[in-house]
Amino acid sequence: MRGPELAAVLVEFRQFLPLYLRECWRRSARRIAIGRGGPWPFLGKAPDRLVVAPTDLRIADPYIAHEIHQGRFPLDGRVLDTGGHSPFSLEGPSVGFDKILHSFRWLRHLRAANDAEAYGDARKFTELWIKECGRRASGVAWEPDVTAQRVIAWLSHSPIVLKNQDRNFYRRFVKSLATQIRYLHKVAPAVRDGEKRFRVRIALAMATLALPANPAAIKSAARQLDNEIEKQILADGGHISRNPQVTLILLADLLPLRQTYLNLGYTPPKGLVSVIDRMFQTLQFFRHADGSLALFNGATAQPADRLLSVLRYDEATGMPLKSTPQMNYQRLSAKGTIIIADTGPIPQDELSATAHAGCLSFELSSGRQRFIVNSGTPSYFHAQYAHLARTTAAHSTLIVGDRSSATISNSAFLGPILTDGPKNVDVERKDDATGRQGFIARHDGYAKILGLVHERSILLSADGNVVNGRDRLAKAANQKISINENTPAVIRFHIHPKVKLSYNYKNDIVLTAGNGESWTFHSPDVKPEVEEDIYFADLAGARRSLQITLTFVVSQTSQINWSLFRSIAKAAPPQS
């Protein structure tokens, strides 16, 4: 290792020493909890029965059950043809595939098929997993989050796994469940902060209800879940990761858990009921006019019915909030036009491992069509795409010198956390009495490395037909500007793949949706250009798209104005 490289490593080590120490403790604690990977640390008396099977709210597809019966597992955008072998004895096509396979979330498809073949497959594959993977706590199958998902899936779909089965299999199934639950109890304190630890606590709380447990155990699991709710769910209902999709994922497990408490006559954890209401409010905040979720900080495409399967339990009424004060996003909405913008700093420490460098990026939808988007996270695991999707260039915002506003760490020990990103983001709403809505925000993501602050203002007219924007680069306080005379900056506007672009006679760019609605993009300061792009967050996988770019030299221009005008004649009616 060369001198400069060694110096950089030492600087990073000093900067993140607390994180290194915490990660060392977690790894050691998990090793101690697991022992040598054998089952003996988790053995004990197995429960004699199951009390209840919680509901699974996730959408199911009987066609997938048919594929599984034919020996093909279509998971995570890939297909594994088992050729008659156990799927757990084969190497999956991706890490993401293996995690989904071992999570058993796909049992819901077998349940939806509702026939003898599906019941037989549910029992067969559960039995195979117990024989091949249930005797040694190691590998992907025993990662805490994967184990938590499997426990929830086995409990939820136990009726089909156990349908018409003999007593011996029943005992083996319940014994394996008890072993996995004891394992989660042991490793829970050593799981990293964030969504995965939350899910472990949900699984443990659900297990105390679905299996016979004494009142003390039920209360203890509820208390631990309450602690996680307090730590991870913000006052505005958002998750500390700042990822809108995490709210949807967690709600899909929290709703059945709440109902199970009520069905059995137990009082739910004190924070559970109120937090669900707040989380619904957050989901509504991030919904676009077409019903999809905005693509920020790790969110990806979701089937419309997946979101609706959760939202149908929302009993609240009223309009979405204009901002999420703790999660730090802004929403502008008028006459069917919706703008959602990221105006917050990067999440702290390990919580940023999947966050994006997209500060001050925004998305715009109108009628039933998204026009301006972020590139989003790939729907299925792809290491290279996942990295590119996190860069500033993959977001509808300004980038200086092709440098992201936050650095993705290469630390193999800490993981790909964000470093040196925006720590301070100042926001001021600009709503007025005429019905116009807007904001001005600035972030310091470039202050330390370039001595610059990025400021963005967006104003939406009261009729929803005009969006005025401005991006400005200013000198950061107490910092020296570190750019050369030719350093470029680019303002990117990523266009949804279903939208077509063309130039009009004024050299403005016209954005036209399939339903005929169009918007015109204009900048008086820089000629807008159309460039090729890639949209990661498509259910079918990454696909080609286009982007509008405004390129300028920082030393010559400090401020760029731009506007979007909706074609009134073709505008879609307002959406409720």
Side-chain angles (χ1 to χ4, degrees), residues 461-476:
S461 64
D463 59 10
N465 291 329
V466 181
V467 179
N468 288 313
R470 183 189 70 212
D471 285 281
R472 188 169 74 94
L473 289 170
K475 181 181 180 299

Side-chain angles (χ1 to χ4, degrees), residues 137 143 179 192 201 205 325 345 351 364 370 374 443 507 520:
E143 289 184 6
T179 299
R192 274 191 168 196
R201 291 301 180 190
L351 293 170
L364 180 148
R370 285 178 293 165
N374 293 315
H443 76 77
N507 273 332
T520 301

Side-chain angles (χ1 to χ4, degrees), residues 1-14:
M1 186 178 291
R2 297 178 180 177
E5 294 173 341
L6 178 60
V9 170
L10 291 175
V11 169
E12 182 181 87
F13 183 80
R14 286 195 298 269

Side-chain angles (χ1 to χ4, degrees), residues 246-269:
V246 171
T247 303
L248 173 64
I249 293 171
L250 292 177
L251 270 175
D253 286 328
L254 288 174
L255 287 167
L257 178 62
R258 179 184 66 175
Q259 194 59 44
T260 305
Y261 273 108
L262 296 175
N263 289 345
L264 295 177
Y266 292 112
T267 301

